[in-house]
Amino acid sequence: WIAVPTLSPGWRDDYEGAPAVEEVATVGLLTKATLRDDENYDVVIRGEMRALLEEESTTNLYRMARVTPWLDTDGGEWLSDASGYLTLLQLVSSLSPFMGETAVEMANLVQSAPDRSIGVYRLASVIVQDTNRRQRLLQTHRLDERIALVAEVLSEALAMALGATWQTDLPT
């Protein structure tokens, strides 16, 4: 398991030291590591949960933290109401003509999750690229708000795909 926090604003000032990080982070499993020519690694981590990090002092080259699950506070009503969740799946399906197998993989990520909260989390981890949006997703305690944010990103991607198609279909 590994926790991956977002660097806090101003991190560049202490990049070589120990820059500040956000206290809510992704915790996941390392699924792939590729050694690069410069002897560094590219890694792929499958996010499994959101967590609050309590940093502990260490003399290691890496940081250690106590991890506490960052749970939803919305009482779970969105876990039983499938409408927002189904909207996400419909948006992913709408992207299929433009994304091909990637859209199928995204749908599988969602559908293979043990519950809707993790399904939304996994989808967000591959579709939400903006750091600020990603951190907002991590920090919110309400599943309906996370669903709305992911739906917004998927809708933007669909609008871009349709716009690109529309532009290329114009007569010259």
Side-chain angles (χ1 to χ4, degrees):
W1 292 91
I2 186 169
V4 184
T6 301
L7 295 169
S8 295
W11 61 269
R12 284 185 174 87
D13 297 338
D14 193 22
Y15 181 73
E16 296 298 325
V21 295
E22 298 294 328
E23 65 181 4
V24 178
T26 291
V27 175
L29 296 171
L30 180 67
T31 60
K32 183 178 179 183
T34 306
L35 180 62
R36 300 185 331 198
D37 292 338
D38 64 3
E39 308 248 337
N40 288 307
Y41 284 88
D42 288 327
V43 297
V44 176
I45 297 168
R46 184 183 69 228
E48 292 294 331
M49 63 183 279
R50 300 169 306 130
L52 178 65
L53 303 179
E54 295 177 48
E55 194 166 353
E56 299 177 0
S57 62
T58 181
T59 56
N60 296 325
L61 294 174
Y62 50 88
R63 295 179 185 189
M64 300 290 288
R66 178 172 289 117
V67 176
T68 305
W70 191 253
L71 302 174
D72 291 334
T73 58
D74 65 356
E77 62 267 12
W78 271 80
L79 293 177
S80 60
D81 175 12
S83 62
Y85 193 74
L86 291 175
T87 298
L88 293 182
L89 291 174
Q90 289 168 344
L91 285 165
V92 169
S93 176
S94 297
L95 285 166
S96 290
F98 309 103
M99 298 180 75
E101 192 61 31
T102 301
V104 172
E105 290 170 12
M106 287 179 4
N108 287 338
L109 268 179
V110 176
Q111 293 171 332
S112 67
D115 64 49
R116 290 183 184 142
S117 181
I118 292 174
V120 172
Y121 177 75
R122 287 180 179 172
L123 179 58
S125 73
V126 296
I127 196 72
V128 180
Q129 299 300 309
D130 178 72
T131 304
N132 294 325
R133 276 181 166 171
R134 199 175 268 235
Q135 191 61 35
R136 250 190 358 233
L137 266 164
L138 286 173
Q139 289 178 317
T140 185
H141 283 288
R142 293 185 52 92
L143 181 56
D144 59 335
E145 291 175 11
R146 290 195 305 282
I147 287 173
L149 189 61
V150 175
E152 180 180 302
V153 173
L154 287 168
S155 295
E156 290 169 5
L158 183 58
M160 285 176 37
L162 289 170
T165 302
W166 181 77
Q167 292 294 331
T168 58
D169 288 345
L170 290 176
T172 56

